[in-house]
Amino acid sequence: MSVRIRIPTPLRGYTAGAAEVDLEAATVAEAIAQLAARHEGIAERLLDEAGRPRAFVNLYVGTHDVRTLAGLATPLADGDVVSIVPAVAGGTR
Amino acid sequence: MRLDAATLPAAARALIERIGRTPLVELTLAELPAGSRLFAKLESVNPGGSIKDRPVARMLLEAWQAGTFARGRRLLDSSSGNAGISYAMLGAALGVGVTIVVPGNASRERLERMRAHGAELVVTDPIEGYDFALREARRLARADPDRYWHCDQYSNCHNWLAHYDGTAGEIVAQLAERGLGPPDALVAGIGTGGTLTGAGRRLRELDPALRVAAVIPETFPGIEGLKPYGEPGDIVPELLDEALIDETCPVSADEAVAMCRRLAALGLFVGPSSGAFVHAALRVATARRPARLVTFLNDGGERYVSTGMWRRD
């Protein structure tokens, strides 16, 4: 599936400034893995040692928090937009 | 601030009288080395639920007394929530219209409280971060100066003066009540820089050897209310007095949450910036062994339930 990941400003240092990254993935977990393969260091910012989203890290498919869907196993369809949104609104760049 | 309290509406007077003079709590944590005592100002007891009541009350009242809000002019500022709640609460009590530019990922508890007080919210794209909201507030202020007065907590001198004139003196008096001298170490973060600058300046005047440690969050996901500092591209708040800072203490979100859980188990239900401050204070205590460290418990933990930080999976 061709999907797009939206990158928040504090993580754009890992993506050479890119606000969006397009890739092929069938699930959210795959999309994160693809992103991590292309951009070293980004996975550690998103996932804990057990591979779960860290505290204050929210992943959305469209407008839905993946925690309310199937978590990282949430399937993706062509054209889906995955957004990485910190649950921290203030202070960050 | 010279203010004739009798001129204020009753609700505003009652709220403002309850701002500040917060408890100074001693934290007896096992890691503290012998001879080091750690104290924290419990700021969640302010009527707006956070330390932001102090600077917001001062900035708002100064402007109110100067007639800034005549003819329906509104107060405008950017905030991720705590300052926004203080603006919204006190604005409602004073009859001042309030517009807050807030990133859309501010916690639901904050957004709903600001709306409950009648504040107008301009919600910005969370992907673009807090500095986008800050720039949007500046744009709105420039575009319509008759409608908006931009309070600008990042440059307004009454922000740090609230801590210089108020918070620092409380700390000194509360330590003196225990038979102790002024603090020899202060641990604070940088949001607007108001607490660190105001309290740091006053306390260093009292003790030039005061050590000031600035708590720095990891850049992602960050810690609510704390700005990254020290790397190229980090915005330095205009009012921050960088010369006060002796050392910086990096703290991760996970470390902050872990400390919040420990503090909750001691009866102190606080938000992540408070956990980060206490975590950093223990590191300063271990490394430097100051006799009296002071830090801040900035707000309460209820404000973060929707972020999932208290969830036990």
Side-chain angles (χ1 to χ4, degrees):
Chain A
M1 311 298 165
S2 297
V3 301
R4 172 166 288 179
I5 301 192
R6 298 186 72 205
I7 310 294
T9 45
L11 288 181
R12 290 179 194 167
Y14 293 97
T15 60
E20 296 174 337
V21 174
D22 293 330
L23 42 77
E24 297 284 325
T27 64
V28 173
E30 267 186 49
I32 300 296
Q34 294 268 346
L35 183 71
R38 287 194 208 174
H39 303 289
E40 195 182 343
I42 204 166
E44 291 81 353
R45 307 257 66 86
L46 300 176
L47 305 176
D48 65 17
E49 287 170 1
R52 295 171 304 200
R54 293 178 61 203
F56 304 113
V57 175
N58 292 331
L59 301 168
Y60 289 84
V61 175
T63 58
H64 301 285
D65 187 332
V66 300
R67 288 190 178 94
T68 66
L69 303 171
L72 292 176
T74 301
L76 296 174
D78 252 343
D80 272 346
V81 176
V82 177
S83 298
I84 301 167
V85 181
V88 174
T92 52
R93 268 185 265 164
Chain B
M1 178 170 40
R2 290 185 186 85
L3 177 71
D4 180 2
T7 63
L8 295 174
R13 192 164 64 235
L15 291 168
I16 286 162
E17 283 172 355
R18 297 296 298 177
I19 293 173
R21 297 177 299 284
T22 55
L24 185 72
V25 184
E26 181 161 11
L27 304 177
T28 49
L29 298 169
E31 297 94 320
L32 281 168
S36 279
R37 297 176 70 179
L38 172 60
F39 300 89
K41 290 288 274 178
L42 184 63
E43 295 295 310
S44 57
V45 302
N46 284 302
S50 83
I51 196 168
K52 288 292 190 178
D53 277 359
R54 294 171 180 269
V56 165
R58 171 122 179 196
M59 294 187 291
L60 183 48
L61 287 174
E62 291 284 345
W64 190 75
Q65 280 187 294
T68 304
F69 306 111
R71 295 180 300 280
R73 202 171 182 211
R74 302 177 68 84
L75 181 145
L76 168 74
D77 212 347
S78 59
S79 167
S80 63
N82 277 346
I85 287 170
S86 301
Y87 284 129
M89 174 186 76
L90 294 173
L94 286 167
V96 172
V98 169
T99 299
I100 302 295
V101 185
V102 57
N105 53 339
S107 73
R108 201 172 66 234
E109 296 89 331
R110 289 180 160 81
L111 295 171
E112 292 186 6
R113 176 149 181 195
M114 286 188 277
R115 287 194 180 105
H117 287 305
E120 172 187 67
L121 301 187
V122 177
V123 179
T124 58
D125 185 348
I127 291 279
E128 296 304 325
Y130 181 74
D131 288 349
F132 182 83
L134 203 156
R135 287 194 295 274
E136 178 64 7
R138 289 181 182 149
R139 189 192 68 75
L140 285 171
R142 276 197 307 271
D144 200 346
D146 292 332
R147 176 171 162 80
Y148 295 121
W149 174 71
H150 188 192
C151 185
D152 196 358
Q153 53 170 333
Y154 289 86
S155 66
N156 190 319
C157 66
H158 296 295
N159 177 346
W160 69 265
L161 282 168
H163 298 291
Y164 183 90
D165 290 333
T167 318
E170 291 174 30
I171 291 167
V172 173
Q174 288 168 314
L175 288 172
E177 286 167 11
R178 293 168 160 93
L180 301 172
D184 43 13
L186 181 74
V187 177
I190 302 166
T192 63
T195 308
L196 190 150
T197 298
R201 274 184 180 153
R202 171 54 68 87
L203 294 173
R204 185 161 285 165
E205 284 169 9
L206 294 171
D207 178 4
L210 172 79
R211 187 161 191 89
V212 176
V215 180
I216 309 301
E218 61 179 328
T219 53
F220 184 90
I223 296 172
E224 185 63 55
L226 302 184
K227 271 191 153 318
Y229 173 81
E231 295 292 328
D234 292 341
I235 290 180
V236 178
E238 195 175 322
L239 60 75
L240 174 68
D241 183 352
E242 295 182 85
L244 289 167
I245 301 171
D246 295 303
E247 66 179 295
T248 55
C249 298
V251 179
S252 72
D254 303 313
E255 289 167 332
V257 170
M259 182 56 73
C260 288
R261 292 185 187 283
R262 282 184 67 186
L263 294 170
L266 297 174
L268 298 167
F269 194 50
V270 297
S273 67
S274 310
F277 284 18
V278 175
H279 180 91
L282 288 180
R283 286 221 302 262
V284 171
T286 305
R288 305 267 170 195
R289 298 177 177 265
R292 296 170 301 281
L293 289 90
V294 171
T295 191
F296 302 90
L297 303 176
N298 299 302
D299 62 6
E302 292 90 348
R303 210 156 266 185
Y304 301 89
V305 170
S306 70
T307 70
M309 73 171 275
W310 301 110
R311 199 164 40 216
R312 299 265 191 189
D313 291 330

